[in-house]
Amino acid sequence: MSITQRKKDHVSLTVSGQSAYHKTTGFERYDFMHHALPEVNIDDIDVSARFLNHHFSFPLFISSMTGGYSEAGAVNAVIARFCEAHNLPFGVGSQRIMLEKPETRESFEIVRKEAPTAFIAANIGGAQLIDGLSDDHISDLIDSIRADAIIVHLNPLQELMQAEGDRNFQGIREGIRSLEQKTELPIIVKETGAGISSVVAEMLIECGVDAIDVAGAGGTSWAKVENLRNNPKSDNPFDDWGLPTVDCLLQLRNIDLQDIQIISSGGIRSSFDIAKSICLGAQIAATAQPVIQAIIEDGYEGLENLYTKWRSDFKILLCLLGCERTGDLDFRHLRTV
Ligand SMILES: Cc1cc2nc3c(=O)[nH]c(=O)nc-3n(C[C@H](O)[C@H](O)[C@H](O)COP(=O)(O)O)c2cc1C
């Protein structure tokens, strides 16, 4: 199976609606503390967000998805154009393919052509950092898209479910430490849907990372995606493996985060999930599956419709909590149900 075919399968299976977790994110365990006397003019509400010393118009990061073949380049171009127009940060999909097949570089380079000023994160797998990335490869990741940050994705569950996946995970921590020392850019480490615990977060902080994207369970199950590719008829006990997104956020509240920042992702499906994420300690939320689905179904307009709805609901939500800005959200705005 070629890498290109695998990437195409990933898009079609995540869009098909068959690859969601059975278990939930945990956001349903919380409701908001309605404020009947808000003292706020909704027209003055500021829904912007700060993350890694950048100012964005909304607390939403478009998660890393694709790249490496022509249709992926077209999806990346839509995301890039959209994020440039709306001042939102985004990540490209894994650039491993570009390091192995330089002819695929264009499907990544397109993002900087479409988004000359947007915040764009490069992306590489933790397993590719074992033994260290060469200086040339690090420069390639960054220069191809003039990256503002580098995302390292951790996905042992997905790799172990993938017939052709990586099997060795020894040395990734040292690889992250070495990458951090070789570049001035912020390093963000993310899971891909199985979540980051407090123990792993402490290890990452010790490696010197700048931000952690918890990418917890409750949204896209990458075990399920791979198992559907291998054998669509059989159930696999690992399909539902992972720490729900809310449990990751709660675990991270109990450790000394020093000055690292938190992205909440994995099953972010509404403005309510974004607001709850911030109440639970994240600076920004991120989403993948709804974005790829909107683009595959309706292109740029599909993404625009999704964003317009989330942004307008978020404004109403802030008003009903008596908040004038995103940064006013905190744990007191939630109640358990
Ligand atoms: C089509 C598709 C491709 C993805 N490829 C990557 C990737 O290359 N690198 C990565 O870090 N995450 C990748 N992801 C994982 C997402 O960034 C995200 O962590 C995960 O899907 C959970 O978020 P969700 O529930 O909003 O989909 C991909 C997701 C999708 C839907």
Side-chain angles (χ1 to χ4, degrees):
M1 169 78 59
S2 72
I3 303 189
T4 302
Q5 188 53 49
R6 183 166 81 223
K7 284 174 179 282
K8 287 183 179 176
D9 290 351
H10 287 166
V11 171
S12 59
L13 285 167
T14 49
V15 170
S16 73
Q18 296 168 272
S19 51
Y21 271 94
H22 282 300
K23 74 170 57 151
T24 59
T25 54
F27 286 118
E28 74 288 349
R29 303 202 298 257
Y30 291 94
D31 198 355
F32 293 101
M33 196 66 81
H34 172 63
H35 197 315
L37 258 180
E39 280 292 327
V40 170
N41 179 342
I42 192 162
D43 294 333
D44 296 335
I45 287 178
D46 173 7
V47 297
S48 67
R50 278 196 79 73
F51 177 67
L52 291 177
N53 294 322
H54 289 257
H55 183 261
F56 300 111
S57 62
F58 192 63
L60 185 67
F61 197 114
I62 307 297
S63 295
S64 306
M65 279 182 277
T66 198
Y69 59 102
S70 58
E71 296 95 314
V75 168
N76 277 343
V78 170
I79 294 173
R81 215 159 10 104
F82 183 80
C83 288
E84 180 74 16
H86 293 281
N87 182 25
L88 296 176
F90 71 102
V92 293
S94 175
Q95 289 165 280
R96 176 186 185 178
I97 191 167
M98 192 193 91
L99 301 183
E100 291 170 5
K101 295 181 169 189
E103 68 275 17
T104 64
R105 193 179 167 102
E106 167 62 22
S107 65
F108 294 97
E109 282 173 336
I110 181 90
V111 298
R112 198 38 101 190
K113 289 185 192 137
E114 296 285 348
T117 67
F119 180 102
I120 309 180
N123 187 294
I124 192 72
Q128 280 70 65
L129 302 184
I130 297 172
D131 300 329
L133 269 188
S134 70
D135 292 348
D136 282 352
H137 277 171
I138 295 175
S139 302
D140 267 358
L141 294 183
I142 298 171
D143 297 347
S144 56
I145 57 171
R146 280 193 284 116
D148 297 289
I150 303 179
I151 293 177
V152 177
H153 67 265
L154 308 177
N155 63 342
L157 170 64
Q158 181 187 7
E159 296 292 344
L160 291 172
M161 295 300 113
Q162 203 177 88
E164 65 274 34
D166 293 314
R167 293 290 178 269
N168 177 25
F169 308 103
Q170 287 178 318
I172 296 180
R173 243 193 287 172
E174 194 44 50
I176 295 172
R177 211 174 277 127
S178 149
L179 180 65
E180 193 278 327
Q181 280 161 10
K182 284 183 176 177
T183 169
E184 299 283 296
L185 291 183
I187 306 289
I188 304 169
V189 177
K190 74 188 278 285
E191 238 287 348
T192 59
I196 290 190
S197 66
S198 53
V199 170
V200 173
E202 280 175 332
M203 291 173 178
L204 294 173
I205 293 167
E206 193 263 320
C207 291
V209 308
D210 298 278
I212 293 175
D213 178 346
V214 299
T220 306
S221 160
W222 281 93
K224 207 162 180 183
V225 172
E226 297 302 343
N227 292 327
L228 284 166
R229 287 180 60 231
N230 296 336
N231 184 356
K233 293 209 172 68
S234 81
D235 268 350
N236 189 302
F238 292 101
D239 282 359
D240 228 34
W241 178 278
L243 292 170
T245 301
V246 165
D247 293 292
C248 299
L249 295 172
L250 292 174
Q251 289 211 10
L252 267 51
R253 286 175 71 80
N254 290 327
I255 61 170
D256 178 7
L257 288 172
Q258 301 177 20
D259 53 3
I260 69 142
Q261 302 213 305
I262 302 300
I263 303 178
S264 166
S265 81
I268 298 293
R269 299 292 180 261
S270 69
S271 59
F272 282 37
D273 295 341
I274 297 174
K276 288 176 187 175
S277 295
I278 295 169
C279 292
L280 291 169
Q283 277 69 45
I284 196 163
T287 193
Q289 196 276 345
V291 170
I292 194 84
Q293 179 155 10
I295 294 174
I296 297 296
E297 287 173 2
D298 284 314
Y300 188 97
E301 203 185 328
L303 185 50
E304 182 96 54
N305 291 342
L306 176 81
Y307 177 65
T308 304
K309 167 83 178 133
W310 286 16
R311 191 182 159 93
S312 107
D313 284 352
F314 191 76
K315 230 178 194 189
I316 296 171
L317 189 152
L318 285 186
C319 187
L320 293 175
L321 294 176
C323 296
E324 289 178 331
R325 60 190 71 79
T326 306
D328 292 344
L329 288 170
D330 67 31
F331 199 63
R332 288 166 302 180
H333 294 109
L334 294 181
R335 57 186 188 86
T336 47
V337 288

